[in-house]
Amino acid sequence: MEKEQNELIEKVIEVKRVAKVLKGGRRFSFSALVVVGDGKGSVGLALGKANEVTEAVRKATEKAKKEIKPYMLYKNTIPHSVYGHAGAARVFMQPSPPGSGVISSGPIRLLIEAIGISDINIKSLGSNNAHNMVNAALNGLDQLCDFSTVAERRGKKVEDVCYMEY
């Protein structure tokens, strides 16, 4: 069990300071958005809140470890292009040839690195709120399906559906 815990990739996407105005002045608390992945196609995302940054990050990390779920990948990229949306944020994700790297904005890049994708092209459309952008990327990853499922649905052979050479 400990060996699995050590292999997880933990990345802090965003830490925000929130102020609550009281009679004696302002009271600050922090919220941390953390992504935890295994680098092999599974990832979890969570938000933790506390009065200290380290405690907020710890809470978010523990919560993200419980939220880990697998996603469909094809070699080092995704099987097909997809749009994802969450709130006002929309992202367009597209497979890339090997060696092209991760072409993306900051918050989504951290998510993609944690999940283990090394070649992908992502364009963020709409809102640039980090929380919504990452949720939109996860929504897009949820929509992915493998070539055998698509071929079965269309009544074709897998070779006819798989157009990617990489």
Side-chain angles (χ1 to χ4, degrees):
M1 187 71 177
E2 288 181 21
K3 191 174 183 182
E4 291 179 22
Q5 299 296 326
N6 292 337
E7 293 178 8
L8 293 176
I9 302 164
E10 301 171 4
K11 295 187 182 260
V12 179
I13 295 176
E14 181 180 48
V15 176
K16 282 190 174 180
R17 186 179 77 171
V18 181
K20 179 180 181 181
V21 180
L22 299 170
K23 187 172 157 185
R26 286 191 279 266
R27 180 165 296 162
F28 296 106
S29 62
F30 298 90
S31 66
L33 185 63
V34 175
V35 66
V36 175
D38 64 354
K40 298 172 189 164
S42 296
V43 73
L45 174 76
L47 183 70
K49 298 177 183 181
N51 290 332
E52 296 177 12
V53 175
T54 53
E55 188 67 15
V57 170
R58 186 193 63 76
K59 282 182 177 181
T61 304
E62 292 299 317
K63 205 171 175 184
K65 285 178 184 176
K66 294 176 186 173
E67 301 280 325
I68 291 178
K69 74 181 225 185
Y71 293 95
M72 177 58 56
L73 303 181
Y74 177 72
K75 296 184 180 176
N76 290 330
T77 186
I78 56 177
H80 55 85
S81 301
V82 68
Y83 276 98
H85 60 87
R90 290 183 302 137
V91 294
F92 176 64
M93 300 193 289
Q94 171 173 26
S96 291
S100 61
V102 177
I103 301 168
S104 173
S105 62
I108 300 174
R109 175 183 296 273
L110 295 173
L111 171 78
I112 295 300
E113 288 171 357
I115 201 170
I117 298 173
S118 59
D119 301 309
I120 192 168
N121 193 0
I122 301 175
K123 180 66 183 166
S124 174
L125 311 165
S127 172
N128 62 354
N129 177 341
H131 197 94
N132 283 344
M133 284 172 55
V134 173
N135 281 329
L138 285 175
N139 176 265
L141 291 171
D142 275 334
Q143 297 173 28
L144 295 174
C145 35
D146 61 341
F147 295 118
S148 59
T149 307
V150 174
E152 186 179 313
R153 197 180 306 154
R154 292 185 191 174
K156 295 187 175 188
K157 295 179 183 175
V158 176
E159 297 81 30
D160 297 337
V161 176
C162 182
Y163 61 91
M164 297 171 62
E165 296 176 11
Y166 43 85

